[in-house]
Amino acid sequence: MNRDLTLHDVIVAGIALAAGLAVALLLRVLLRWLGKQAARTAWEGDDIIVDVLRTVAPWAAVAGGVASAAAALPLTGQVGHVIDQALIAFVMVTATFTAARVLSGLVRSVAQSRSGVAASATIFVNITRIAILAMGFLIILETLGISIAPLLTALGVGGLAIALALKDTLANLFAGVHILVSKTVQPGDYIRLSSGEEGYVRDINWRITVVEQLNNNLVIIPNAKLAGTNMTNFSRPEQKLSVTVQVGVAYDSDLEHVERVTNEVVESVMQDIAGAVPDHEPAVRFHTFGDSRIGFTVILGVGEYSDKYRIKHEFVKRLHRRYREEGIRIPAPARTVSLQPGAEVVIPHPRESFDAVQDRLGSKG
């Protein structure tokens, strides 16, 4: 100390500290009110600004009060410098964590708006958060007078060893980034892998892709495997898709009547059932003269992949009921067998194998 501590110094320091705390409390109340006002506007920028100020401004006021209190006390130059550096580091740490939280939230919002789903691709969020924290840490060290050149050199030398040790992890990381940047798969897409797994992509993080099946089970797929396998994406280039239903009618049916009735059923399903495409144009395509029927394909419009089960279910019910009303017959498979005169019919025993029957026939010449 340059001089002895007096009661006046203590009172002034206490007043400065109390003023800092009072300003922090006032700012917190004011910014909470501003946050409610910003939430009512359509622009998201004011929400971000208020969110940043709500965290940084009160703590900056507290740090200012502590700095004023320290300046009022008869401290030595070295102690005052240490306090100033500590306060600067405190404010910078607060600002760094706030920036990481706000910017990662902004990246999450952008990812959600691009993909159009509630889930987010956390790989970009995590990369943003880690990058901001790392840059903030280096800036704090440089501000405190600690040289970061040796640290960067050590990181550069050790980076090769870390890359070799984390080869699979880095492969999954870069594969995840490649998948999202190329937009081959986005959260919310319905995919099917060549190995048979299928479901909605719920998240793509730094190591894995999480796929939720229709039975609510989760399939965990490493990003590198997802990037290197054959895959069908049912949500791209557009989410709407067509599904087919195979139908057959008797040979004595009036095909023009069958087509007209089927189209009417398709139109009613497209208009009434949730998940169907109302402007879908009905399509009936005859294609096969079968053993007992004339086969044709009915093409239905579906809003997204999981809706196809409900649409096909309702279509089959309505088509079956309408065919019965119109007298259109859907024949069961039938086959005519003609026997030549003198041919022997062998009826196998219920427990007799096919090979045994062949042997019995061969023994009879």
Side-chain angles (χ1 to χ4, degrees), residues 346-362:
V346 178
I347 301 176
H349 190 273
R351 297 185 179 180
E352 188 175 17
S353 65
F354 178 77
D355 293 336
V357 175
Q358 293 288 88
D359 296 338
R360 186 149 54 88
L361 288 175

Side-chain angles (χ1 to χ4, degrees), residues 4 56 279 297:
D4 294 335
V56 176
D279 57 352
T297 299

